[in-house]
């Protein structure tokens, strides 16, 4: 069960290692194009069709017709990668249950965008976790984990690709563990793991764990606006945590007050003391914007209606950029 490219890597691993994939469940085709007249299948569906695998695309996961169709395949186990929340009638159906491949080291970063938030928060390490589904999102008993280092200059694309491959590998290891244990591998509850990790007493564990755990909620356009009042390190991590998709953005304001959206894809820390937050300056041939504590060099950007470009090319086409500012 999965939809994007991230899930294809795991499906491909299952097929190539000759596991018996009896069916694939993915999102309905999405309308694309100017008038939405063309239906685009998901990456998972495209792979499944190419390899002759039956594909189910329910609008609603509780649809009785879908549930019965799913049941007819008599799957021993269900594997979920980057999909959607499942009702109990679905995740509890197979005799060995349903496990999820999650792109984070649970219990940290539960939610829809774990890769983005790990980079945004400046983590130096993330990873992949497999766990059995239960009633709440991303809270089930953990089966296995694998870690993945995040270099200081890595963006989301780098981490996404790394975790995509690592997730496929961990899925195979998880399957082997489940098979070897006849459907009942050793697991650990996330509550136990949280208490052990944070060395908390039972009396204050619930409150302290909730404060210590970092969420990974879905990202919207407003989530991606840069706050220049934050430190340069925070802005630097924020930009790479959203690059290349969906892209961090700010509002460029000219001397007359006209506003234009400016996406920023890559920055560089300069160590140069800041002016007031949001102030644009030219240091040599470098375009810099001040955060709270130091100036950040803007390396790659995209002005609304234009192509993504190097900041040097942007400067060549802009006059008196030092008279501009960003919100």
């Amino acid at each position: 069960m999965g939809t994007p490219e991230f899930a294809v890597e795991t499906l491909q691993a299952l097929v190539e290692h000759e596991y018996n994939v009896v069916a694939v469940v993915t999102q309905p085709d999405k309308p694309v194009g100017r008038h939405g007249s063309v239906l685009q299948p998901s990456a998972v569906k495209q792979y499944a069709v190419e390899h002759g695998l039956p594909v189910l695309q329910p609008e609603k996961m509780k649809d009785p017709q879908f549930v019965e169709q799913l049941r007819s395949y008599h799957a021993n186990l269900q594997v979920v990668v980057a999909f959607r929340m499942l009702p109990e009638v679905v995740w509890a159906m197979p005799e060995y249950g349903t496990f999820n491949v999650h792109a984070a080291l649970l219990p940290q970063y539960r939610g829809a965008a774990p890769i983005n938030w790990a980079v945004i928060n400046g983590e130096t390490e993330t990873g992949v976790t497999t766990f059995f589904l239960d009633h709440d999102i991303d809270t089930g008993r953990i089966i296995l984990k694998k870690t993945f280092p995040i270099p200081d200059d890595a963006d989301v694309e780098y981490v996404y690709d790394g975790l995509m491959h690592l997730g496929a590998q961990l899925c195979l290891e998880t399957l082997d563990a489940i098979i070897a244990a006849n459907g009942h591998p050793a697991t650990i509850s996330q509550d136990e793991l949280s208490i052990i990790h944070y060395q908390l007493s039972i009396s204050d564990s619930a409150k302290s764990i909730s404060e210590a755990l970092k969420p990974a909620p879905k990202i919207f356009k407003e989530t991606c606006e840069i706050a220049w009042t934050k430190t340069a390190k925070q802005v630097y991590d924020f930009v790479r945590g959203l690059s290349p998709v969906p892209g961090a953005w700010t509002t460029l304001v000219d001397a007359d007050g006209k506003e234009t959206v400016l996406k920023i894809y890559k920055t560089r820390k300069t160590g140069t003391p800041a002016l007031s937050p949001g102030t644009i300056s030219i240091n040599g041939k470098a375009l810099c914007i001040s955060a709270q504590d130091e100036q950040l060099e803007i390396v790659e950007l995209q002005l609304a209606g234009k192509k993504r470009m190097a900041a040097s090319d942007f400067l060549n086409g802009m006059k008196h950029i030092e008279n501009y500012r960003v919100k």
Side-chain angles (χ1 to χ4, degrees):
M1 298 183 174
T3 297
E5 177 195 13
F6 190 92
V8 174
E9 189 76 16
T10 297
L11 176 57
Q12 181 176 333
L14 294 174
V15 171
E16 292 180 352
H17 286 78
E18 299 183 345
Y19 288 91
N20 184 20
V21 181
V22 294
V24 169
V25 182
T26 190
Q27 296 276 40
D29 295 358
K30 282 189 174 181
V32 295
R34 191 168 184 179
H35 303 291
S37 56
V38 178
L39 291 177
Q40 175 72 37
S42 71
V44 163
K45 179 181 178 179
Q46 291 178 53
Y47 180 90
V49 170
E50 288 169 6
H51 291 80
L53 300 173
V55 178
L56 308 181
Q57 296 177 274
E59 291 282 351
K60 296 181 179 179
M61 299 302 291
K62 290 184 179 180
D63 180 348
Q65 186 176 351
F66 160 70
V67 171
E68 286 310 306
Q69 189 177 11
L70 184 64
R71 199 186 307 277
S72 72
Y73 287 101
H74 303 290
N76 301 103
L77 183 71
Q78 291 172 160
V79 180
V80 177
V81 188
F83 194 45
R84 56 201 282 193
M85 188 173 179
L86 304 182
E88 183 174 1
V89 67
V90 172
W91 59 255
M93 186 183 295
E95 59 177 312
Y96 292 166
T98 301
F99 76 83
N100 184 279
V101 180
H102 186 73
L105 296 174
L106 292 173
Q108 292 288 8
Y109 297 107
R110 294 168 176 161
I115 304 176
N116 298 93
W117 286 108
V119 181
I120 288 171
N121 289 335
E123 303 287 0
T124 57
E125 182 181 75
T126 185
V128 181
T129 304
T130 52
F131 68 94
F132 282 116
L133 266 64
D134 63 13
H135 292 92
D136 298 316
I137 295 178
D138 299 338
T139 61
R141 293 186 67 86
I142 289 174
I143 309 167
L144 293 174
K145 285 186 180 187
K146 277 187 179 293
T147 60
F148 182 82
I150 305 177
D152 183 63
D153 60 349
D155 61 16
V156 157
E157 186 172 43
Y158 172 89
V159 182
Y160 180 99
D161 288 345
L163 294 185
M164 181 171 66
H165 297 295
L166 192 65
Q169 181 184 341
L170 189 63
C171 175
L172 298 182
E173 292 180 19
T174 301
L175 278 170
D176 290 342
I178 292 172
I179 292 168
N182 197 27
H184 301 285
T187 60
I188 183 170
S189 81
Q190 293 193 40
D191 287 342
E192 289 175 39
L193 197 63
S194 299
I195 292 168
I196 292 168
H197 183 72
Y198 297 109
Q199 298 180 335
L200 304 171
S201 67
I202 297 299
S203 61
D204 66 0
S205 63
K207 180 181 178 184
S208 300
I209 289 171
S210 66
E211 292 173 348
L213 295 183
K214 299 170 186 175
K218 187 174 181 179
I219 288 174
F220 299 94
K221 181 183 177 181
E222 56 268 24
T223 313
C224 303
E225 184 176 11
I226 299 169
W228 297 100
T229 52
K230 292 189 174 182
T231 67
K233 175 67 165 65
Q234 287 174 316
V235 175
Y236 172 81
D237 291 336
F238 186 78
V239 169
R240 66 194 184 99
L242 296 167
S243 180
V245 176
W249 62 274
T250 190
T251 303
L252 186 66
V253 186
D254 69 13
D256 297 323
K258 182 182 177 182
E259 299 184 353
T260 310
V261 172
L262 180 71
K263 279 194 173 183
I264 298 178
Y265 294 99
K266 188 175 181 180
T267 65
R268 185 179 294 127
K269 290 170 281 188
T270 65
T272 305
L275 304 172
S276 60
T279 300
I280 295 174
S281 54
I282 308 300
N283 296 343
K285 293 185 178 181
L287 170 64
C288 296
I289 301 178
S290 288
Q292 179 196 101
D293 54 347
E294 70 177 77
Q295 296 180 40
L296 276 176
E297 180 184 349
I298 310 305
V299 180
E300 290 182 29
L301 49 73
Q302 182 179 15
L303 199 61
K306 304 290 184 180
K307 293 181 179 180
R308 178 174 171 174
M309 65 182 74
S312 55
D313 294 331
F314 171 78
L315 286 176
N316 289 337
M318 294 288 289
K319 294 181 179 180
H320 309 298
I321 187 65
E322 62 275 8
N323 295 329
Y324 288 61
R325 61 182 175 86
V326 294
K327 276 189 175 180

